[in-house]
Amino acid sequence: MNPFASISTLPFELPPFALIAEEHYRPAFLDGMSEQLAEIAAICASADAPTFDNTMVPLERSGPLLTRVAEVFFNRSSSDSSDFTNALEEELAPLLAAHADAIRLDPGLFTRIAALQEQRDRLDLEPEERYLIERYFTEFTLAGAGLDDDDKARLRDYNKRLSTVTTRFEKNLLADTNDLALVLDDVSELDGLTPGQISAAAEAAHERGLTGRYVITLVLPTSHPYLAQLTNRGVRERLLAASRSRGIRGGQFDNRALVLEISRLRAERARLLGFDSHAAGVTADQTAKTPEAVADMLGRLAPAAARNARAEQADLQAQIDADGGAFELAAWDWAFYTERVRRARYDVDTAAMRPYFEFERVLQDGVFYAANRLYGVTFTEQPDLVAWHPGARVFEVTEADGSPVGLYIIDVYTRDSKRGGAWMNALGSQSTLIGTPTIVCNNLNVPRPATGEPTLLSFDEVVTLFHEFGHALHGLFARVTYPKFAGTNVYRDFVEFPSQVNEMWMLWPDVLTNYARHHETGEPMPQDLIDRIHASSTFNEGFFTSEYLAAALLDQAWHRIGADDRVTDVAAFEASALAAVGLDNPAVPTRYSSTYFAHTFAGGYDAGYYSYIWSEVLDADTGEWFAENGGLTRANGDRFRSRLLGVGGSTDPLAAYRHFRGRDADIQPLLDRRGLN
Ligand SMILES: [Zn+2]
């Protein structure tokens, strides 16, 4: 008996992890896909005219087996992967892509949805039902469902060619990144790095057959973290130059021709779908709606960010001059002198904070405490419930009146089988239609301490925990009818908003004093240290905002070209795009140059890299609302929960925002927070 074949009988329908074995996944996926295709075929075979109940409802109910197996498998392949999951994932990827296309490009299904879209004003629909039709219609249209057969064939050709060239871009980038790792001969050249970092560099050299030398491997963004530490200016220059030369050296790993081809193919595909540009097609299905709206927002921020970066540059130059360095600040000096100025001016040493951030206290007395004060919910660990790994802990979430909300699972520690970073996912999503209980998961990558030692988090790890927990609350609190709108199923340029908001409580005075206590003495974090954290909050924000905006604007520029535009020179295109918005300061390079901008050219964030700051406008404006209305109270939490978190994706997010805030979001709080006034 395959455990995926039926609904779990465990509390909250927790998947029966103890019973699931490797051989259960593949057949469940294959059966799940064919079951869903049969369900879709049955919808289309109906001789009755399309109605909401005979088309949208069965479409939303379709594929329960596929949903069950996919939730468990993709959680596992991210959090506890193996050769088995890697191989199955590779086998499944094209099958699942073809399965999604088979549904979205099904002419019979699209005809029915299009008919409902056309009649939607005359049908007696609930707002969520009407929105469901509109969302499906838009998504299917953007995927090409409305094209005739010839154009559908052309679309498939574009998609196929794009998947080939974006994969090649990614492979070239990986190869060139490895090839350009910095090789150093003498340990003195590594001065400024910690002993651990130096032995890692020696080990990396040994692995490459360069025993006795040192290798610094590159990271994806332009700026390497070691640039803040390396005292040898020549080594810093070489490290930054290596980073920036990825994909532009000529030879087999050069990505320039691919950048031109990818942007051209996307523009042509957009024209086929009826858009002026790829950016127009992407933003049509986001809260931004148009590339002009994105350009307007980024354009408002860019001049102030550039101006602040120039002021920071003057400070750094003053530090260089005071040190007797007879040179002009260059891009490779920025991080190094920033650290010097930060220590001198604010005396903030992030290492000194760790003893106040013991994990269990942060979780229980910080993260859970803030949620309890705001929303009345409590979290009770359920050691009898087994998750996917012994390190994954299960908590039952309960309302103030004792009624159940769902399960929250947290898997804290890093391990070889877990991918990097931190994220939230769901093993069960609320919807009235299906009635599935909610199970949300947070995965972090905190290094496990030595046996018997406490887990002391860094400042950034505490931010991350509050952030990911914000996504978890979004998943837990949504109360929608249709699965399509469950929890965090919202637009990409909106999804980070609830998680960014939850970060606010980390340094909120009532919360901080409740959890930030020395793990040995129990003493609260000294007020003086807290003050210095607040005082330094806008430090170097001119640089960070500028390098981010430069990348976001480049991403937009490449995807606003029309199908007939001919760009032939990557470097010239980049230079003129950055100069047009005043972000061409040579001391502040873009976070990614085009030839190593994987977010946009390998895909995923193409024409969408703006999303991070887009949702931060709402976040900062919400922070101001909480501050104006008394902060951490049940009344405030309930309003935020019912009007924003609770609606999931079931309504237009900006309308939900207006309902919460009483007006549209104002950009001013973001400008204040980032010092961009
Ligand atoms: Zn997030």
Side-chain angles (χ1 to χ4, degrees), residues 1 61 72 87 102 145 247 290 321 334 353 382 395 424 435-436 442-443 492 522 542 546 592-593 643 663 677:
M1 187 61 187
R61 284 188 186 280
V72 174
T290 66
D321 297 346
W334 193 289
M353 299 179 199
Q382 302 292 350
F395 294 80
M424 172 270 185
T436 312
N442 277 164
N443 270 278
R492 182 174 58 197
S546 295
Y592 306 97
S593 287
R643 299 189 180 199
R663 57 162 172 75
N677 290 305

Side-chain angles (χ1 to χ4, degrees), residues 422-424 464 467-468 470-471 495-500 503 605 612:
W423 66 94
M424 172 270 185
T464 300
H467 176 98
E468 296 306 332
H471 287 303
V495 74
E496 293 303 322
F497 161 59
S499 51
Q500 288 171 343
E503 290 176 29
Y605 277 85
Y612 296 98

Side-chain angles (χ1 to χ4, degrees), residues 248 256 260 558 567-578 594-595:
I248 54 163
R256 283 174 293 190
L260 297 175
W558 280 114
V567 182
T568 53
D569 184 333
V570 171
F573 181 85
E574 250 192 54
S576 79
L578 295 176
S594 307
T595 52

